Amino acid sequence: MKKLLSATALLLASIHVAHAAIASPDIAALVEKEGPAVVNISTTQTVVNNQGGPGMSEDDPFYEFFRRFQPRQQPPREFQARSLGSGFIISNDGYIMTNAHVVGNADEITVKLTDKREFKAKVIGTDERTDVALIKIDAKQLPTVRLGEPARLRVGEPVVAIGSPFGFDNTVTSGIVSAKGRQLPDESFVPFIQTDAAVNPGNSGGPLFNMNGEVVGINSQIYSRTGGFMGLSFAIPIDVAMDVSAQLKASGKVTRGRIGVSIQEMSKDLAESFGLNKPQGALISGVEKDGPADKAGMLPSDIVMKFADKPINTNADLVRMVGATKPGAKVTLQVWRNRAIKELTVTVSEVPEQAGGVKQGRRSNANVGQVGLLVGDLTPAQRKQLGVEYGLLVQAAHGAAARAGIQAGDVIVGIGGEDLKNYQQLARAIEEAKSSNRSVTLRIYRNGGYQFIPLKLSGKTDE
């Protein structure tokens, strides 16, 4: 019996050791092999203080204190602003990838390798929309990173970040992939990889490795209320960055496609109102007059389901696919219109334009349909500015309207897929929706773009 127990214990111990070996990746070996291709980047920038201030950013909390105790009429003075970041070598002849915000506007860039050698670098190109930059040093036979496939990353998979947080060179942190395809405000060209690997100021531009020692992303941003790490880090997928860097290397700039639409994310309520079983696709909330989409016959309320035979799951998918398309290319789209699929062919062009906002209307109406929606007519100049024949400015929203997300300053320009023609049309649509206990989908203009908002209604009123 004792021998049997000993053998069982030995077997269990072996299984435990084997499991531990699988569950605990060898981060030390990864860092030893890949670390030499990670670099420290320091920059200097000459800043001219024309106001004779204290030689610091006006955002600095002590700026006003020091300004008050300095003589007022001082001549302009210059000072050197310094910053730190990270990067990684992608070719043995000295091309290095980093963030655009690390090297943007720098007068001098110094790259330090792990072997303590230092080089002056020149900027090949930067792209602020993806926050990617390509720089080069004059060196040969350098260590390089290996590139992975972000599409193969799984949520929960271990990852490692190497960089220079607060100037501490070659700092290694680890964590897991917290989410994929994360869309951040004003960053619709990048499907960020979210991780909980500790990233702090100075890590920007450094690589994010998978456990195979392959770079899968560039550490770019953190979410923080203190300025330090709070468990939310975001990396640019390396395939997105490499596409940008290839264009930067070839021409020093990045060319993106456009089709002249504004879009919004599909919600469950919107999907139901358009006859879809689930939220999917990119909802077209506005079409630029005489733009590529307009010429192709696209309409507001169309839902793009496929772009060049590739499925569109979210609006961010469409933004990235269109942006990555070469201007001049003809692309077939599948759209959901009137509860059926329709194919359109659009010729992709370049460079978007943004319209201004609307601030006030002329005539106030009563609480439309008693749903907490107070509206006013647009002036002729405002209608011309928006390119609409008619629209109603939301002057106040409460009750059901506020709960739906409608805000003061919104402009109602349509109901479902129809343009708004007059106030009575809106009042009638709301009354019909209330009588049947359903929702009415309003198309609104907000902050330079269009979107749909489903307004859920019932027989109850909001006075």
Side-chain angles (χ1 to χ4, degrees), residues 46-68:
T46 301
V47 178
V48 179
N49 184 357
N50 289 318
Q51 297 179 349
M56 60 178 63
S57 169
E58 293 185 19
D59 295 327
D60 192 294
F62 291 103
Y63 176 87
E64 185 63 23
F65 174 81
F66 283 109
R67 186 188 66 80
R68 291 189 179 192

Side-chain angles (χ1 to χ4, degrees), residues 77-325:
R77 52 191 289 259
E78 296 183 353
F79 64 95
Q80 295 293 318
R82 301 179 184 278
S83 63
L84 296 171
S86 306
F88 52 97
I89 306 169
I90 59 173
S91 67
N92 60 13
D93 58 348
Y95 283 96
I96 296 171
M97 192 174 291
T98 184
N99 284 149
H101 77 260
V102 171
V103 297
N105 301 317
D107 295 321
E108 186 176 85
I109 304 170
T110 302
V111 171
K112 184 167 68 174
L113 308 185
T114 56
D115 62 10
K116 306 304 180 183
R117 286 186 294 167
E118 294 188 4
F119 299 88
K120 299 301 180 185
K122 65 177 180 179
V123 176
I124 302 301
T126 63
D127 179 49
E128 293 184 0
R129 303 191 81 163
T130 55
D131 197 22
V132 172
L134 185 67
I135 63 176
K136 190 178 188 306
I137 60 176
D138 187 11
K140 302 293 183 183
Q141 298 182 341
L142 296 170
T144 61
V145 297
R146 295 178 295 123
L147 305 180
E149 299 179 45
R152 293 194 170 193
L153 277 178
R154 297 177 300 164
V155 175
E157 181 177 335
V159 285
V160 171
I162 305 179
S164 304
F166 302 108
F168 294 103
D169 296 359
N170 308 113
T171 296
V172 180
T173 56
S174 65
I176 62 170
V177 175
S178 303
K180 292 176 59 180
R182 187 69 81 195
Q183 185 178 1
L184 303 181
D186 302 320
E187 301 285 357
S188 54
F189 285 100
V190 180
F192 284 96
I193 303 166
Q194 181 184 330
T195 81
D196 67 350
V199 171
N200 284 288
N203 273 112
S204 293
L208 183 73
F209 291 95
N210 62 19
M211 287 301 103
N212 293 324
E214 300 166 330
V215 174
V216 291
I218 305 176
N219 296 310
S220 176
Q221 300 186 35
I222 61 173
Y223 174 85
S224 176
R225 293 180 176 176
T226 64
F229 174 68
M230 294 186 70
L232 296 168
S233 307
F234 300 93
I236 304 161
I238 194 62
D239 53 350
V240 173
M242 288 302 295
D243 176 67
V244 170
S245 70
Q247 294 190 56
L248 292 175
K249 186 176 181 180
S251 64
K253 65 177 184 177
V254 177
T255 300
R256 291 189 173 86
R258 65 180 293 268
I259 58 175
V261 297
S262 52
I263 58 177
Q264 73 179 87
E265 196 77 55
M266 287 292 292
S267 66
K268 182 176 181 294
D269 292 335
L270 281 171
E272 290 178 356
S273 71
F274 287 108
L276 290 173
N277 295 326
K278 62 179 182 178
Q280 59 182 317
L283 175 58
I284 303 300
S285 54
V287 179
E288 178 187 309
K289 187 176 180 180
D290 296 326
D294 186 30
K295 293 177 180 177
M298 189 172 290
L299 302 173
S301 78
D302 282 350
I303 301 169
V304 182
M305 310 297 287
K306 285 188 177 181
F307 182 87
D309 292 327
K310 296 179 181 177
I312 303 296
N313 296 312
T314 67
N315 60 351
D317 292 338
L318 182 62
V319 171
R320 289 190 291 270
M321 290 181 190
V322 172
T325 303

